[in-house]
Amino acid sequence: MASIMNLPYKHDEVFQGEVAARIPYHRMYGKQYCLPSLTVLESHESQAIAEAAYWVDRIYWKVLRFVQRYMPDTFLIEQLGLHPALIDSARIEVPFHGVSRQDWILHEHGLKCIENNTDTPTGIPETAYLAEALVEGYTDYCTASKDMRNHIQQAFRHLIDYYQQQGLDGGIAFTCYDSHLEDLTNTMYLLHAVEELGYPAFFVPLDQLEIIPGEGLYVEGKQISILYRLYPLEYLVHDRDEIHDRPVGEDLLELIMNGKLGIMNPPQSMITQSKGFMALIWSLYEHYEETTRLCGFELFEEKELQRIPLYFLPTYFDPSVFQLSHIPYVEKSYWGREGKGTAIFGGDGILELSEWGAEQEEQADIRDYYTNQPKIYQQHHPMTELELITEEGPYTGSLLLGAYVIGGQYAGLLPRIGGKITGDMAYYCPAAVEKPLP
């Protein structure tokens, strides 16, 4: 089972020089984020997670196409929570995969996927770069993310080439709020990976993008044809230019619809980003025979159907199934991130724990934003607890493994150890894998 290896060095002895420059947010919110410690997995555990991540991604992809082709707009709006202005662009079938990160619980009672961030996952530099620097720089173990940069490059090459074949052969821009250090570092890591492929990519702060409605996206007069944005589409769709009283988010979506802009990840990622998508998958599984009769075809192959109860937890649009059976469950906001808007209820239906994030000064706004979102309800699953050594002393937390699937391929692991709801105060300990016996 997973264990912790503490390196015989202090934090500042490890996180200095190039390492500190490449991961400048190794401390966040006034405390350690990255630790000089490793999450050690046995090789069979790493292989099991890679296989599980492949099957979950395959099921997600298949249900995505089912939704795009067969489900009405009302379902996407009412059950998946998509803003009406997102529907048309989300239905565009882009044949290539972007960057996604599934969140997994590794426990003796089973390996379970509890979420999937398919729109704007972060944690990329620490997984693709820092893990190798710490694991292979200080130990004889292997990193669980050795080929992640190659997977990133292959995925972006496929997406960029696809968009260029659609006639989008102008500038390739990468954007985020440059005032947010973590987002900026993630964005620049991806930009440099794309530059290595020979594409002329450049960075532009999010607030410097200029939209000419119906014509194109620009920065300082230069047209942008392809845009990577570390900015969630559920935020963008509400953005307005207050000076000109324009719905600039909707203007950008219109450019996508008219073939004047390609974005990464593609808008279809919003369908799978919705946590309502997990409830849909479970419903399709539970009512599979009925769905097959109504559709006139079988959505899943037998191997896929077998893996849904193996890797997914019962998830519903309503908590009554758990309440009537006195089963502990988790309530999640559709667009929750970093655990925000998540709550755990006991078998008696009483609230046990909720998460709202570390930014206390914004807590009222955060609570309002996530409280007013639709919710899904997922069976609670126990998490493995591990003890860490931090600068503040010993800490026992729950392990959550983020499994990256990039370009449709398993690419690496992001272990975070925090509370029973993994929030933005969780610690990162790179994944190390025992080398198999010769």
Side-chain angles (χ1 to χ4, degrees):
M1 206 59 188
S3 62
I4 294 296
M5 170 188 284
N6 298 303
L7 300 177
Y9 303 98
K10 294 181 179 179
H11 183 97
D12 292 335
E13 292 176 324
V14 172
F15 297 98
Q16 60 174 321
E18 182 182 2
V19 170
R22 297 279 291 270
I23 312 293
Y25 50 90
H26 55 88
R27 296 183 189 273
M28 288 198 292
Y29 306 113
K31 64 186 271 299
Q32 287 176 296
Y33 160 56
C34 302
L35 297 185
S37 304
L38 307 178
T39 304
V40 181
L41 302 172
E42 297 178 16
S43 59
H44 72 88
E45 292 175 322
S46 176
Q47 292 167 6
I49 295 166
E51 180 181 359
Y54 162 79
W55 283 105
V56 166
D57 183 76
R58 178 167 159 171
I59 291 165
Y60 256 74
W61 191 258
K62 184 162 284 189
V63 177
L64 168 62
R65 289 291 183 255
F66 175 77
V67 171
Q68 288 176 305
R69 296 171 185 177
Y70 300 105
M71 300 304 288
D73 289 356
T74 52
F75 183 87
L76 274 70
I77 295 168
E78 296 172 7
Q79 297 299 115
L80 298 185
L82 269 70
H83 189 286
L86 281 167
I87 302 299
D88 288 342
S89 57
R91 286 196 185 277
I92 299 174
E93 296 185 17
V94 176
F96 298 107
H97 213 296
V99 179
S100 65
R101 191 193 69 228
Q102 305 163 3
D103 284 342
W104 287 85
I105 294 176
L106 175 66
H107 194 269
E108 60 184 1
H109 294 308
L111 181 64
K112 299 294 182 181
C113 179
I114 60 170
E115 290 186 16
N116 194 2
N117 186 342
T118 62
D119 188 44
T120 55
T122 54
I124 293 169
E126 49 265 50
T127 308
Y129 162 74
L130 181 60
E132 184 170 356
L134 266 61
V135 174
E136 300 190 1
Y138 291 93
T139 77
D140 292 329
Y141 291 107
C142 300
T143 174
S145 313
K146 190 171 187 63
D147 294 324
M148 187 164 166
R149 191 175 182 88
N150 290 334
H151 286 298
I152 289 169
Q153 291 178 321
Q154 291 173 19
F156 275 73
R157 184 194 298 277
H158 284 313
L159 281 166
I160 292 169
D161 288 354
Y162 167 76
Y163 283 133
Q164 290 183 338
Q165 289 168 15
Q166 309 301 308
L168 296 170
D169 55 1
I172 303 173
F174 284 68
T175 190
C176 68
Y177 278 118
D178 58 351
S179 59
H180 192 290
L181 183 60
E182 183 182 3
D183 284 2
L184 178 62
T185 306
N186 274 260
T187 301
M188 295 306 296
Y189 182 91
L190 295 174
L191 189 157
H192 293 321
V194 167
E195 282 184 322
E196 285 181 4
L197 297 174
Y199 294 106
F202 58 91
F203 177 77
V204 54
L206 190 65
D207 56 7
Q208 292 183 22
L209 292 171
E210 305 168 14
I211 298 174
I212 299 180
E215 182 177 322
L217 180 68
Y218 294 84
V219 57
E220 297 180 349
K222 180 179 181 179
Q223 186 165 9
I224 296 167
S225 290
I226 302 172
L227 179 72
Y228 168 81
R229 39 91 212 167
L230 188 47
Y231 184 65
L233 287 181
E234 77 262 21
Y235 297 169
L236 183 142
V237 72
H238 296 287
D239 285 354
R240 294 190 66 86
D241 179 346
E242 300 298 338
I243 297 176
H244 301 97
D245 193 28
R246 289 286 312 177
V248 290
E250 294 185 25
D251 287 341
L252 186 140
L253 292 169
E254 185 179 347
L255 295 177
I256 297 169
M257 281 300 302
N258 292 335
K260 297 183 178 180
L261 178 68
I263 66 169
M264 304 178 293
N265 286 347
Q268 64 188 13
S269 67
M270 279 301 293
I271 294 175
T272 46
Q273 176 72 29
S274 166
K275 291 184 177 62
F277 195 82
M278 298 196 81
L280 170 61
I281 291 174
W282 193 258
S283 179
L284 290 171
Y285 164 71
E286 282 199 325
H287 304 283
Y288 190 62
E289 291 184 3
E290 180 183 353
T291 301
T292 300
R293 286 197 303 271
L294 289 172
C295 294
F297 61 86
E298 292 192 356
L299 176 59
F300 300 117
E301 297 175 11
E302 184 61 30
K303 288 184 178 180
E304 296 164 341
L305 201 60
Q306 292 172 353
R307 281 166 173 79
I308 292 176
L310 182 63
Y311 296 135
F312 289 84
L313 289 163
T315 307
Y316 301 98
F317 295 105
D318 181 272
S320 58
V321 172
F322 302 123
Q323 293 170 344
L324 292 171
S325 302
H326 305 289
I327 297 173
Y329 65 93
V330 182
E331 177 188 81
K332 298 181 178 182
S333 300
Y334 271 34
W335 310 109
R337 294 171 185 271
E338 297 291 346
K340 297 182 184 72
T342 300
I344 298 175
F345 290 81
D348 53 9
I350 296 176
L351 175 67
E352 295 183 347
L353 182 67
S354 60
E355 169 67 28
W356 299 103
E359 300 175 48
Q360 297 295 322
E361 70 277 7
E362 297 178 7
Q363 198 164 87
D365 290 342
I366 288 171
R367 283 180 178 269
D368 183 63
Y369 176 72
Y370 291 106
T371 298
N372 292 324
Q373 291 181 12
K375 309 288 193 299
I376 55 104
Y377 304 87
Q378 186 178 74
Q379 184 174 319
H380 184 258
H381 192 74
M383 302 175 75
T384 294
E385 292 196 340
L386 297 173
E387 183 173 309
L388 306 174
I389 302 299
T390 76
E391 292 176 326
E392 299 176 348
Y395 172 82
T396 299
S398 299
L399 171 67
L400 187 71
L401 290 171
Y404 288 90
V405 178
I406 302 175
Q409 302 294 318
Y410 168 76
L413 283 179
L414 175 84
R416 288 173 293 165
I417 301 169
K420 294 184 184 299
I421 300 172
T422 306
D424 48 17
M425 297 294 286
Y427 295 101
Y428 168 67
C429 298
V433 181
E434 295 179 345
K435 291 182 179 179
L437 295 174

